[in-house]
Amino acid sequence: MTAEILKLPAIMYKRIQFDITTAPVRYSTGRSFLRRGFLIISLVLVCLALSPPAQAQLPNIFAADDPSGSVNSGGANIAYLQNTTGSDVTLTLDGNTITTKANRLNIFDRSSGTWALQKVILNQQSQPVSPSDTSSTPTPTPTPTSTPTPTPTPTPTPTPAPDFSLAISPSSVTLNRGGGTASYTVTITPAAGFKSAVTLAVGGLPSGASGTFNPNPATGSSALAVNVSSTVAKGTYTFTVTGTGGSPTFTHTATASFVKVPKP
C-alpha cells in the first residue's frame, strides 16, 4: 500500500499562483478644481504674511514766511509760503520761479513733479486755484498780520502861473504953467517864468496932455513921456498906466501924477 502511494501521478503537486488586480482610483473633476483653488489661495496668504508691512507715506512740509530770493525746500512735497510783505514777492523755489501775492498764504505741492499752486488762503477762506482735490491737505491757520497804516499823500502845492507887475517912477513930476514934458520910467517885473512882452497904455490924462511909451510893447522897462500943453490949468493930475500880456492874458495897473504950477 505504501508503494502505491508513492506512484501517484506528479500532477498532484502543481504550484498554485494567485493574480492580484487593483482597480484604478478615479476622482471627480469638480473636486480637482476645488483642491487647486485652495492651494493657490493658501500660497497667496502665505506670501502676504511674509511680505513687510507697507509704510504710510506722509507728505513732507516746507514753510516760509515773507519769502524772497531763492529757497530750497529740502525735499518737501508740500510748501506753505506766507507773504506778509505788503507787496508781491517773486522767489525761486527749488529752481521754480513763483510769484506770491501780498498778505496771502499760498499752498504749493509737487505731486506732479514740479511745484504748482493749489490754494490761496485769504481772510480765513480757502480759494482753490486748481481743479485737483486738495481736501486731504492740512490747512494751517494763518498768522494774523497787521494792516500797514497808509502814509497820507501830501497835497501838492499848485504851481503859480507866469505873471508880472508894474511900477512907475518917479511917482510925481512938477511942471510950470507954460507946460512941458513929464518923464517917467515904467518897470515890468516878471514872476514864475513870465517871458511875454507887455503892451502899455496910459489913461486919465486931462485934455491938453498926452503920453507916449518907448518901447511899446516892452519886456523889462519903457520910458513914458507925458506932454502937457499950456492950456492945461494948474493943479495936480493923477493918471494910470495899464499893462497887458501873457497867455492867458494878465492885466496890471500903476498910477503916477504930475503937478502944474504957475510961473513965479
Side-chain angles (χ1 to χ4, degrees):
M1 183 175 180
T2 304
E4 292 178 358
I5 293 173
L6 292 175
K7 293 180 180 181
L8 290 174
I11 194 172
M12 300 284 295
Y13 300 93
K14 186 178 180 179
R15 181 177 298 177
I16 300 173
Q17 296 182 350
F18 298 94
D19 294 329
I20 301 174
T21 302
T22 304
V25 180
R26 299 181 179 178
Y27 300 94
S28 65
T29 304
R31 293 185 59 188
S32 176
F33 286 157
L34 290 176
R35 289 172 59 85
R36 291 178 183 177
F38 177 76
L39 289 175
I40 293 173
I41 294 174
S42 299
L43 289 175
V44 171
L45 292 176
V46 170
C47 292
L48 291 176
L50 294 178
S51 62
Q55 299 295 326
Q57 298 297 323
L58 296 179
N60 295 323
I61 297 176
F62 167 77
D65 185 32
D66 296 345
S68 62
S70 179
V71 294
N72 189 339
S73 65
N77 295 318
I78 296 177
Y80 298 104
L81 303 179
Q82 183 169 346
N83 179 12
T84 58
T85 61
S87 60
D88 294 354
V89 172
T90 300
L91 71 150
T92 302
L93 175 60
D94 295 336
N96 293 273
T97 300
I98 296 173
T99 299
T100 64
K101 294 293 184 181
N103 300 321
R104 301 290 196 279
L105 179 63
N106 305 275
I107 302 175
F108 296 84
D109 77 41
R110 58 175 173 186
S111 58
S112 61
T114 58
W115 286 107
L117 180 62
Q118 292 297 315
K119 285 185 179 180
V120 176
I121 298 177
L122 172 64
N123 297 331
Q124 306 295 331
Q125 295 181 355
S126 176
Q127 301 177 355
V129 296
S130 173
S132 59
D133 182 13
T134 57
S135 59
S136 61
T137 303
T139 302
T141 301
T143 303
T145 56
S146 59
T147 302
T149 302
T151 303
T153 302
T155 302
T157 302
T159 302
D163 202 350
F164 68 94
S165 60
L166 286 181
I168 303 175
S169 64
S171 60
S172 181
V173 175
T174 301
L175 299 172
N176 60 35
R177 183 177 178 82
T181 300
S183 298
Y184 303 87
T185 299
V186 179
T187 301
I188 303 168
T189 303
F194 184 86
K195 297 180 180 179
S196 301
V198 176
T199 301
L200 302 171
V202 61
L205 293 174
S207 178
S210 62
T212 58
F213 297 91
N214 185 26
N216 190 19
T219 56
S221 64
S222 180
L224 168 61
V226 178
N227 298 312
V228 180
S229 67
S230 59
T231 61
V232 176
K234 66 177 181 179
T236 300
Y237 298 91
T238 301
F239 59 89
T240 301
V241 173
T242 301
T244 303
S247 179
T249 302
F250 291 93
T251 300
H252 294 287
T253 60
T255 59
S257 65
F258 68 86
V259 179
K260 191 174 182 183
V261 296
K263 291 182 179 181

